Amino acid sequence: MGNRSATDDGGLLAGRGPESLGTGAGLGGAGAAALVGGVLLIGMVLAGNSLVCVSVASERTLQTPTNYFIVSLAAADLLLAVLVLPLFVYSEVQGGVWLLSPRLCDTLMAMDVMLCTASIFNLCAISVDRFVAVTVPLRYNQQGQCQLLLIAATWLLSAAVAAPVVCGLNDVPGRDPAVCCLEDRDYVVYSSVCSFFLPCPLMLLLYSATFRRLRRWEAARHTKLHSRTPRRPSGPGPPVSDPIQGPFFPDCPPPSPSLRTSPSDSSRPELDLSQRPCSPGCLLPDAALPQPPAPSSRSRRGAKITGRERKAMRVLPVVVGAFLMCWTPFFVVHITRALCPACFVSPRLVSAVTWLGYVNSALNPVIYTVFNTEFRKVFRKTLRC
């Protein structure tokens, strides 16, 4: 994320100004490693997330509300690979020295803040969508309009968080043009809180409540299925219904079924239950015969929500966990530098946690391939085409 470079009291990123160029600049040593690693990372992000977008667009089975958010997340990663990572890798190759224009640096910072925020907000929007789908399934809109509005809101809020940088927040007196960073410490704290420290706890709480509700739902469904299983009493009791012979009473002898030919299949004999040596008092009205329960609209809508969508939800905790593992170290280091200017943070540590955050953009397609069978099948099909 571009706001990785909170400045020190002199306005320079500690250990990464022009005086620290040394042997790490250019294509010698660390510069060559940064170039190779950056090219590989950009290639992986572009290939993996493009495959996600193409697969969802071409396969109807993947066009679910949850996957709309996954496409939005992949779009944020694609934009990051196109607009941010090339300039970040260029700066790393130069040893952390910014040799381009300050206006381009401000654009890079704004795009970096917006795209990282959009990734987090998309994950948070998924948690909101899943919570609503599980809590009020009958009011949940399966057509996708609400999901598209929620995705649009995440991008608008992300742009609002990054807007101050474009509006001239970095144009401060005494700015060093050789360092590309966010110059305002208050904005660093503000963007960190809005982009990470507020949405992440909310997201975790919503996922926790969602999966608790799903576990109760599964337990109730399991109990209901077992309660519907017919049990034959071992002792004397009320009359029971034989699944073949139909309902009868103890004082009515069981029918002697005769074989007749089914009009639909002349080779299959079927039981004629109408020939029964029963008295008129033993006959039961048609209403007493067991009728298959007609599925209500409530159960049908619930089944739509709890089928493929519930299966797709199992991959979401892995996506969220990978995101938190990759970005939490960066934001901790990032806000520590802003709140404690006197604290020394190694430039190598800053660079390492920044690279780790960007690696997350390449992980999501791998997670979908490993943990989601539907994505894996469609990926194979797309790659063959």
Side-chain angles (χ1 to χ4, degrees):
M1 186 176 178
N3 51 4
R4 60 188 177 274
S5 308
T7 57
D8 54 18
D9 293 332
L12 292 174
L13 175 62
R16 297 192 53 159
E19 70 278 0
S20 66
L21 185 60
T23 59
L27 291 178
L35 179 61
V36 173
V39 171
L40 289 176
L41 179 61
I42 292 173
M44 291 176 62
V45 174
L46 289 175
N49 290 283
S50 298
L51 185 59
V52 171
C53 295
V54 171
S55 299
V56 175
S58 60
E59 190 68 27
R60 290 188 61 86
T61 59
L62 291 181
Q63 294 173 8
T64 63
T66 299
N67 289 342
Y68 295 161
F69 294 98
I70 289 178
V71 169
S72 179
L73 185 62
D77 291 334
L78 284 173
L79 291 174
L80 186 78
V82 173
L83 302 176
V84 175
L85 284 181
L87 293 175
F88 167 74
V89 172
Y90 171 79
S91 177
E92 289 291 300
V93 169
Q94 299 300 324
V97 179
W98 185 255
L99 303 178
L100 304 176
S101 68
R103 178 57 60 184
L104 184 58
C105 170
D106 294 345
T107 304
L108 173 64
M109 294 293 102
M111 292 302 300
D112 203 355
V113 172
M114 186 186 77
L115 294 176
C116 182
T117 305
S119 297
I120 301 174
F121 282 4
N122 272 297
L123 291 175
C124 196
I126 294 175
S127 67
V128 173
D129 179 76
R130 296 298 85 198
F131 179 77
V132 173
V134 171
T135 306
V136 283
L138 298 182
R139 299 182 182 179
Y140 182 71
N141 186 5
Q142 285 286 315
Q143 302 302 319
Q145 289 88 350
C146 293
Q147 286 76 19
L148 294 178
L149 289 176
L150 194 54
I151 290 172
T154 62
W155 284 93
L156 289 176
L157 290 175
S158 303
V161 173
V165 182
V166 181
C167 295
L169 183 72
N170 263 9
D171 294 335
V172 297
R175 175 181 178 180
D176 187 353
V179 177
C180 184
C181 63
L182 293 174
E183 303 287 342
D184 192 297
R185 295 185 186 280
D186 294 335
Y187 177 76
V188 171
V189 176
Y190 159 77
S191 63
S192 298
V193 171
C194 291
S195 301
F196 188 81
F197 291 105
L198 276 182
C200 284
L202 174 63
M203 176 174 58
L204 293 176
L205 287 174
L206 287 174
Y207 272 125
S208 176
T210 299
F211 282 99
R212 281 202 308 269
R213 184 65 177 262
L214 275 179
R215 281 196 297 268
R216 291 199 298 266
W217 201 351
E218 289 288 348
R221 180 172 173 268
H222 185 73
T223 304
K224 191 173 183 180
L225 287 176
H226 277 274
S227 66
R228 287 180 177 178
T229 304
R231 290 176 296 179
R232 189 179 300 275
S234 58
V240 296
S241 298
D242 188 277
I244 297 178
Q245 297 173 341
F248 60 91
F249 289 100
D251 57 345
C252 178
S256 57
S258 62
L259 296 180
R260 70 177 182 181
T261 303
S262 172
S264 61
D265 188 358
S266 59
S267 63
R268 283 181 52 196
E270 69 176 12
L271 296 176
D272 185 4
L273 302 181
S274 59
Q275 300 179 7
R276 305 186 178 199
C278 295
S279 61
C282 296
L283 296 178
L284 295 179
D286 292 339
L289 296 176
Q291 300 293 334
S296 63
S297 60
R298 179 184 298 264
S299 62
R300 285 198 299 266
R301 295 191 64 180
K304 287 183 181 180
I305 294 172
T306 60
R308 180 178 288 112
E309 286 295 306
R310 281 166 50 216
K311 184 184 296 185
M313 283 180 64
R314 296 172 185 172
V315 76
L316 298 180
V318 185
V319 175
V320 174
F323 186 90
L324 294 179
M325 288 179 59
C326 290
W327 280 109
T328 300
F330 165 77
F331 277 100
V332 171
V333 171
H334 181 56
I335 202 167
T336 300
R337 288 164 57 84
L339 296 177
C340 182
C343 299
F344 173 75
V345 180
S346 170
R348 291 188 177 182
L349 177 61
V350 176
S351 180
V353 297
T354 305
W355 278 99
L356 179 62
Y358 288 144
V359 165
N360 177 254
S361 297
L363 285 181
N364 288 338
V366 178
I367 294 173
Y368 305 146
T369 304
V370 173
F371 292 95
N372 193 310
T373 56
E374 289 189 350
F375 265 107
R376 185 162 60 246
K377 293 177 182 177
V378 176
F379 284 174
R380 291 174 181 170
K381 178 180 176 182
T382 305
L383 290 175
R384 290 195 197 102
C385 296

